[in-house]
């Protein structure tokens, strides 16, 4: 089955840029979605279809996807961005939805 | 605004069947071509897709759980349900129901989640 690989943790100072990667075999050919999950809450979409941003999500959140890596970029990181982030795709070969293992973003 | 709400027992004994229901409110359920899914999260771990059902009744299951999972829909009640058989402690998790418009689109509406503990 298809596997998405994320780093377990990323740390960044306030005001700097955080990049969270999501690796998968030819993931660039798939549509990648990113979710933010704060403790005790359900996940929320922050980026969909690789780089689109839902209404209400700050422009500081952006996404890209090419080759074997998709990336979620958070610019001018704020303390409120501290959360777990998950990438997700649809795998047509197995007819199933796949989540990455998640990345804990820590704001120093 | 569409809302999803999970319900069911919070405690299930090992080897028994876990049964959860997701109630859909604030929008049309039966006439809309959406996928309705179940996703779980064990304590301290990541998200795992369990399975989904299309409004027409077609089902999709995680291969690792397929032999134990059944998802069904009751359009008259605006609900869809999850049954997971032969549970063990490894099935202890927060269970979420969610909705997506297409297989390639994001899960854009989620329930708040319900905690299920498997223990004797």
């Amino acid at each position: 089955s298809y596997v998405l690989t994320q780093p377990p943790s990323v740390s960044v100072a306030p005001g700097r840029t955080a990049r969270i990667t999501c690796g998968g075999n030819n993931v660039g050919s798939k549509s990648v979605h990113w979710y933010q999950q704060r403790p005790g809450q359900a996940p929320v979409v922050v980026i969909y279809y690789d780089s689109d941003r839902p209404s209400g999500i700050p422009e500081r959140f952006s996404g890209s996807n090419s080759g074997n890596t998709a990336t979620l970029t958070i610019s001018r990181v704020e303390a409120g961005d501290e959360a777990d982030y998950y990438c997700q795709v649809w795998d047509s070969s197995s007819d199933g939805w796949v989540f990455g293992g998640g990345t804990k973003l820590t704001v120093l | 605004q569409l809302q999803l709400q999970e319900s069911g027992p919070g405690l299930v004994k090992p080897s028994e069947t876990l049964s959860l229901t997701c109630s859909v409110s604030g929008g049309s359920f039966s006439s809309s071509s959406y996928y309705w899914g179940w996703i779980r999260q064990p304590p301290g771990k990541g998200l795992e897709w369990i399975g989904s059902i299309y409004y027409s009744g077609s089902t999709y299951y995680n291969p690792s759980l397929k032999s134990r999972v059944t998802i069904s829909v009751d359009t008259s009640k605006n609900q869809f349900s999850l049954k997971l058989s032969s549970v063990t402690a490894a099935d202890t998790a927060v269970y979420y129901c969610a909705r997506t418009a297409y297989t390639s689109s994001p899960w854009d509406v989620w329930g708040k989640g319900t905690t299920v503990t498997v223990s004797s």
Side-chain angles (χ1 to χ4, degrees):
Chain A
S1 61
Y2 195 77
V3 176
L4 293 172
T5 302
Q6 298 181 235
S9 63
V10 168
S11 298
V12 63
R16 304 302 293 264
T17 296
R19 294 179 178 85
I20 299 173
T21 58
C22 174
N25 184 29
N26 198 25
V27 71
S29 67
K30 302 179 184 298
S31 294
V32 177
H33 314 299
W34 290 92
Y35 302 83
Q36 176 192 69
Q37 186 182 34
R38 294 192 170 100
Q41 297 185 16
V44 172
V45 181
V46 292
I47 292 291
Y48 64 103
Y49 290 128
D50 299 340
S51 59
D52 289 340
R53 196 174 49 251
S55 60
I57 300 301
E59 292 183 7
R60 302 182 296 103
F61 287 79
S62 62
S64 63
N65 183 19
S66 178
N68 294 320
T69 305
T71 303
L72 171 68
T73 301
I74 309 172
S75 304
R76 302 181 299 283
V77 167
E78 302 175 356
D81 298 332
E82 192 163 278
D84 294 326
Y85 292 86
Y86 296 89
C87 58
Q88 176 253 310
V89 301
W90 160 258
D91 178 32
S92 57
S93 64
S94 63
D95 271 354
W97 286 265
V98 180
F99 286 92
T103 298
K104 180 176 181 59
L105 176 66
T106 299
V107 181
L108 301 172
Chain B
Q1 184 174 348
L2 191 77
Q3 291 187 322
L4 307 182
Q5 177 67 58
E6 306 89 350
S7 61
L11 181 64
V12 181
K13 289 182 168 54
S15 80
E16 295 189 344
T17 295
L18 177 160
S19 296
L20 295 176
T21 295
C22 182
S23 298
V24 181
S25 61
S28 177
F29 180 75
S30 60
S31 63
S32 301
S33 56
Y34 289 105
Y35 294 83
W36 307 91
W38 289 95
I39 295 154
R40 71 180 182 179
Q41 185 171 36
K45 296 188 178 181
L47 301 170
E48 179 182 35
W49 170 71
I50 300 169
S52 303
I53 188 165
Y54 192 44
Y55 83 111
S56 63
S58 299
T59 52
Y60 305 77
Y61 297 133
N62 186 321
S64 68
L65 299 169
K66 186 174 184 176
S67 63
R68 299 194 292 130
V69 175
T70 302
I71 294 176
S72 59
V73 64
D74 187 339
T75 55
S76 66
K77 295 183 179 179
N78 277 13
Q79 294 177 340
F80 62 103
S81 299
L82 167 70
K83 291 188 184 300
L84 181 64
S85 64
S86 304
V87 297
T88 69
D91 295 310
T92 293
V94 175
Y95 286 75
Y96 295 99
C97 58
R99 182 201 78 170
T100 186
Y102 308 101
T103 56
S104 60
S105 59
W107 295 96
D108 62 343
V109 182
W110 293 67
K112 294 185 186 302
T114 187
T115 299
V116 178
T117 301
V118 178
S119 175
S120 56

